[in-house]
Amino acid sequence: MTDASAPRIHLGPVEDPHVADGIRRAGGVLVPLAEAEGVVWVQGPETFPSALPDSVRWVQLPFAGIEPWFDAGVIDDKRVWTSAAGAYAGNVAEHTMMLLLAGVRSLPEQLAAQSWRKEEFDPRVGTLQGSTVAIIGCGGIGRALIPYLAASKVKVIAITRSGTPVEGASATLSADRTGEIWSKADHFVIAAPSTSATRHLVGKAELDQMSESSWIVNIARGTLVDTDALVDALEAGSIGGAALDVTDPEPLPDGHRLWKLPNAIITPHVANPATTLTRVLADHVATNVARFAAGDDLTAVIDPSAGY
């Protein structure tokens, strides 16, 4: 017998078993859309219903980056919308650390080598030990990355919207002070949301302030980095390199200049592996279903006016 007070959740457009289990674990019951007070969606906006019943008070989206949902005009102000921000932080932090180490250690060049080449001093091979890494947009991913960096005795400068201190960071600056860090840090991780205000957050002026050994890692959105300015800096050797899981344009076309650069690492937007997507999302959904049932504030609430 179903508890009449249990939150009525519609799972669509398919009943993914991991997410369905998360809803049930949190005390929710699965119902048709017409009977739902909450909707959990596991695909993109192209399959989302053109209209929702007035009974729906909350919608959970499956991704951390929700720009396509805004572009599609899906998100309204009639109900609470939540993203998956933070749900995949562990996966993405692991990938970020891999990219940063691969760059600093000149791993792509080592992998491409066909003969034993060892010089007494090779400035391209460095270490993270004792360096300073700035995390721009230090939310869930940045917080998950900090313990990895701490293991290498890295000093972290965290940039957040509010500037509220981030645990494990040596310093936390508000977003309006981002301009201060480009000449202070050794390496940079871009993890900020993509909005009109953050487009080309990293451009020629920022790249010019970095050192010749600096690596920049972008695991957020390609539009946060001015691709042409980045390629110019990489070709000139004015920075150490760039490791990109996201690009602008994306997908990165065959023959693009970035593919040809030895100091560029490209991974095809796989920091959050599809093989674990719904399994990880299920825990995030379970948390929000339980909060929804209790009348508590939900996790990763979207601010329509801010765009994320």
Side-chain angles (χ1 to χ4, degrees), residues 158-166 172-175:
I159 305 294
T160 68
R161 182 167 59 173
S162 65
T164 302
V166 172
T172 304
L173 304 179
S174 56

Side-chain angles (χ1 to χ4, degrees), residues 44-45 87 111 124 128 139 248 255 262 274-275 278 288 297:
L111 292 173
R124 294 166 296 186
L128 282 179
D248 183 24
T275 53
T278 58
N288 266 347
D297 291 339

Side-chain angles (χ1 to χ4, degrees), residues 90-238:
N91 281 343
V92 180
E94 180 182 76
H95 194 83
T96 303
M97 190 64 178
M98 180 271 293
L99 290 175
L100 185 56
L101 277 171
V104 171
R105 288 285 183 167
S106 194
L107 188 60
E109 188 169 351
Q110 316 298 336
L111 292 173
Q114 297 294 309
S115 62
W116 186 271
R117 295 177 299 157
K118 182 177 180 181
E119 302 173 8
E120 287 298 317
F121 176 72
D122 186 346
R124 294 166 296 186
V125 180
T127 179
L128 282 179
Q129 296 284 333
S131 65
T132 298
V133 172
I135 304 175
I136 298 92
C138 193
I141 294 169
R143 286 168 168 80
L145 177 62
I146 287 175
Y148 286 102
L149 295 172
S152 292
K153 298 180 175 60
V154 170
K155 176 182 176 182
V156 172
I157 301 175
I159 305 294
T160 68
R161 182 167 59 173
S162 65
T164 302
V166 172
E167 184 178 355
S170 300
T172 304
L173 304 179
S174 56
D176 59 359
R177 298 179 61 189
T178 304
E180 299 177 21
I181 55 96
W182 305 112
S183 61
K184 292 182 178 179
D186 298 297
H187 308 292
F188 305 87
V189 172
I190 310 301
S194 176
T195 67
S196 58
T198 58
R199 177 175 174 79
H200 290 182
L201 177 70
V202 182
K204 184 180 186 303
E206 291 74 28
L207 291 161
D208 284 347
Q209 295 178 65
M210 298 179 191
S211 75
E212 293 183 356
S213 59
S214 291
W215 274 78
I216 180 168
V217 178
N218 187 5
I219 43 75
R221 286 292 181 269
T223 54
L224 274 69
V225 177
D226 182 335
T227 301
D228 290 338
L230 176 64
V231 172
D232 289 344
L234 293 171
E235 290 180 336
S238 60

Side-chain angles (χ1 to χ4, degrees), residues 239-294:
I239 66 171
L244 311 172
D245 188 55
V246 290
T247 60
D248 183 24
E250 186 175 311
L252 190 66
D254 293 350
H256 193 280
R257 288 194 294 164
L258 274 171
W259 289 119
K260 304 171 185 177
L261 295 171
N263 54 349
I265 303 171
I266 311 295
T267 57
H269 208 147
V270 293
N272 183 34
T275 53
T276 65
L277 189 69
T278 58
R279 176 168 55 81
V280 176
L281 177 63
D283 290 335
H284 182 79
V285 168
T287 296
N288 266 347
V289 169
R291 286 175 174 268
F292 183 71

Side-chain angles (χ1 to χ4, degrees), residues 2-12 14-16 19-42 52-53 55-61 80 82 282 285-294 298:
T2 302
D3 183 350
S5 66
R8 303 182 307 279
I9 307 297
H10 174 69
L11 174 59
V14 295
E15 192 167 307
D16 178 87
V19 179
D21 178 66
I23 292 170
R24 295 189 182 102
R25 278 192 284 120
V29 294
L30 298 177
V31 299
L33 180 60
E35 302 173 17
E37 54 186 332
V39 171
V40 175
W41 207 249
V42 293
L52 294 174
S55 60
V56 173
R57 297 183 285 117
W58 161 55
V59 179
Q60 172 68 59
L61 302 182
V80 176
T82 55
V285 168
T287 296
N288 266 347
V289 169
R291 286 175 174 268
F292 183 71
L298 301 179

